[in-house]
Amino acid sequence: MPRSSRSPGDPGALLEDVANNRRPRRIAQRGQNTSRMAEDPSSNMTWVTCLAFFLRTRAQRVLFDKCRWKLLCQKLLEKTGMVFLCAFGFWMFSIHIPSKMTVWQDSSITTTMQSLRLYQEKVRCLSKEIQDLRGHVNLLVAKLQEMEAMSNEQKMAHKIMKMIQGDYIEKPDFALKSTGASVDFEHTSATYNHNKAHSYWNWIKLWNYAQPPDVILEPNVTPGNCWAFEGDHGHVTIRLAQKIYPSSLTLQHIPKTISLSGSLDTALKDFVVYGMESSPREEVFLGAFQFQPENTIQMFPLQNQPARAFSAVKVKITSNWGNPGFTCLYRVRVHGSVAPPKEQPHENPYPEKD
């Protein structure tokens, strides 16, 4: 085997041999060198050479032992440092971490207690609000019950008003003022003038409370809201909302139960109905009838229904039920159709198949 370029006495070579664990190889080499020197007769070893060899060997051993102890000390120091670091870390962990954990536990407990207190306060506030809401709900239920009772009374009153006003007659009224009908004042009797119907100040007449003739074209049938004319003879001419073929006429009067006088002697009794054209002024007899005041609302089918349309209707009253001073007329309705009554709808040119 080739030898190293360094001399045997070099400390660096010795350290390198120790690090590389080459001791057996060195021993073998020394043995080979000794045997060679013994076999070579020409080499005469002196005592100086032996001493140098001995000293070199001892120095190598000392250096070897020194390096070994140095390595052992280094390893020992490394292990001791690791142990010291572990002990120091454990000490730090045992001292500081438990205190921090206790602080964390205390903070968590305090935050939990605070949150519980907040929730308790919220629950108390919500319970109070729920109680208040229950009180409001009870008040609303009581008010609703009262309103329901009032609505039942209103329904009954509305039904009574329907019976009074005759709204159960489901026919179009062409003499209704709100649809365009009006009274021809030139061909209508004068309104009854009474001192109780006037307002005076120092014997000066200020206002006349007597209702005009067109009040009979409105649905408000209440005591006193009527058209009165003097005596028991009078007439009124009604311009219809549009030109129609009249078929029937309805008269309405207040019932005896709500009359202030307690009697119905001012109600009309006998009357005649005429159909009229605007130009020329022609009157066509449509029927003669008698009104019975016991029935507050009565419908009279026309006795004569000519095949022609009229734009106005005249009601001529010839008597009343006993009042010599004046006669009251509350409401007049005129029914009919825009199309001729005998006109039939066109048949379908394409009848449905069975």
Side-chain angles (χ1 to χ4, degrees), residues 75-86:
K75 290 183 179 179
L76 183 61
L77 288 174
E78 291 178 358
K79 299 294 183 181
T80 306
M82 292 295 294
V83 171
F84 179 75
L85 289 174
C86 292

Side-chain angles (χ1 to χ4, degrees), residues 121-132:
E121 292 294 332
K122 289 182 179 179
V123 168
R124 290 175 184 174
C125 294
L126 290 174
S127 62
K128 290 181 180 178
E129 291 180 358
I130 289 171
Q131 291 178 357
D132 295 338

Side-chain angles (χ1 to χ4, degrees), residues 220-294:
N220 185 13
V221 180
T222 54
N225 192 35
C226 64
W227 173 59
F229 56 90
E230 188 174 0
D232 57 357
H233 285 72
H235 59 275
V236 58
T237 302
I238 301 171
R239 296 193 190 99
L240 303 176
Q242 58 184 2
K243 203 170 185 179
I244 64 167
Y245 295 86
S247 61
S248 59
L249 183 137
T250 300
L251 294 180
Q252 187 173 356
H253 199 83
I254 61 171
K256 186 177 181 179
T257 54
I258 63 174
S259 177
L260 299 180
S261 62
S263 64
L264 299 176
D265 56 352
T266 60
L268 75 162
K269 183 176 181 182
D270 297 316
F271 64 97
V272 183
V273 181
Y274 298 94
M276 299 181 66
E277 287 287 349
S278 58
S279 61
R281 184 66 60 177
E282 179 186 359
E283 296 182 0
V284 178
F285 175 80
L286 300 179
F289 310 97
Q290 187 179 82
F291 180 78
Q292 299 295 329
E294 290 80 10

Side-chain angles (χ1 to χ4, degrees), residues 6-22 26 60 62-71:
R6 298 182 181 181
S7 61
D10 192 0
L14 181 60
L15 291 173
E16 184 177 359
D17 292 339
V18 171
N20 295 327
N21 199 10
R22 294 180 180 180
R26 291 292 182 184
Q60 289 179 352
V62 170
L63 290 173
F64 176 76
D65 293 337
K66 188 176 179 179
C67 292
R68 186 176 63 180
W69 281 105
K70 187 177 181 179
L71 292 173

Side-chain angles (χ1 to χ4, degrees), residues 36 47 55 102 104 118-119 143 158 230 262 301 310 333:
R36 286 177 183 175
W47 63 273
L55 292 173
T102 53
W104 177 78
L118 290 175
Y119 284 130
K143 289 182 179 179
H158 187 62
E230 188 174 0
F310 298 97
R333 306 185 194 186

Side-chain angles (χ1 to χ4, degrees), residues 37-291:
M37 292 176 64
E39 290 176 359
D40 191 1
S42 59
S43 60
N44 294 320
M45 296 181 59
T46 61
W47 63 273
V48 177
T49 305
C50 292
L51 180 61
F53 181 77
F54 176 75
L55 292 173
R56 187 182 69 180
T57 304
R58 293 294 298 179
Q60 289 179 352
R61 286 183 179 179
V62 170
L63 290 173
F64 176 76
D65 293 337
K66 188 176 179 179
C67 292
R68 186 176 63 180
W69 281 105
K70 187 177 181 179
L71 292 173
L72 289 173
C73 290
Q74 288 179 357
K75 290 183 179 179
L76 183 61
L77 288 174
E78 291 178 358
K79 299 294 183 181
T80 306
M82 292 295 294
V83 171
F84 179 75
L85 289 174
C86 292
F88 181 76
F90 180 76
W91 177 72
M92 292 291 293
F93 181 81
S94 61
I95 291 176
H96 295 283
I97 297 300
S99 62
K100 292 183 178 180
M101 291 181 66
T102 53
V103 171
W104 177 78
Q105 290 178 356
D106 294 338
S107 62
S108 63
I109 291 171
T110 53
T111 53
T112 305
M113 293 297 294
Q114 290 178 356
S115 62
L116 286 174
R117 290 173 183 173
L118 290 175
Y119 284 130
Q120 288 178 355
E121 292 294 332
K122 289 182 179 179
V123 168
R124 290 175 184 174
C125 294
L126 290 174
S127 62
K128 290 181 180 178
E129 291 180 358
I130 289 171
Q131 291 178 357
D132 295 338
L133 288 174
R134 286 180 179 175
H136 289 302
V137 168
N138 292 330
L139 291 175
L140 288 174
V141 169
K143 289 182 179 179
L144 287 174
Q145 291 177 354
E146 292 178 0
M147 291 176 65
E148 186 177 0
M150 291 175 64
S151 65
N152 292 332
E153 294 177 358
Q154 288 178 356
K155 287 179 181 179
M156 185 64 66
H158 187 62
K159 188 180 293 186
I160 293 172
M161 289 300 295
K162 276 188 174 182
M163 293 177 63
I164 294 173
Q165 296 179 0
D167 289 341
Y168 56 87
I169 297 178
E170 297 179 354
K171 284 189 176 184
D173 182 14
F174 292 93
L176 190 63
K177 184 178 180 180
S178 59
T179 61
S182 61
V183 172
D184 187 356
F185 292 96
E186 294 181 359
H187 300 85
T188 301
S189 299
T191 302
Y192 176 66
N193 291 322
H194 193 270
N195 292 331
K196 292 183 179 180
H198 298 290
S199 176
Y200 292 91
W201 180 74
N202 292 333
W203 303 98
I204 300 174
K205 185 169 68 174
L206 298 178
W207 192 259
N208 186 5
Y209 291 100
Q211 298 293 342
D214 57 358
V215 73
I216 65 174
L217 308 181
E218 297 176 357
N220 185 13
V221 180
T222 54
N225 192 35
C226 64
W227 173 59
F229 56 90
E230 188 174 0
D232 57 357
H233 285 72
H235 59 275
V236 58
T237 302
I238 301 171
R239 296 193 190 99
L240 303 176
Q242 58 184 2
K243 203 170 185 179
I244 64 167
Y245 295 86
S247 61
S248 59
L249 183 137
T250 300
L251 294 180
Q252 187 173 356
H253 199 83
I254 61 171
K256 186 177 181 179
T257 54
I258 63 174
S259 177
L260 299 180
S261 62
S263 64
L264 299 176
D265 56 352
T266 60
L268 75 162
K269 183 176 181 182
D270 297 316
F271 64 97
V272 183
V273 181
Y274 298 94
M276 299 181 66
E277 287 287 349
S278 58
S279 61
R281 184 66 60 177
E282 179 186 359
E283 296 182 0
V284 178
F285 175 80
L286 300 179
F289 310 97
Q290 187 179 82
F291 180 78

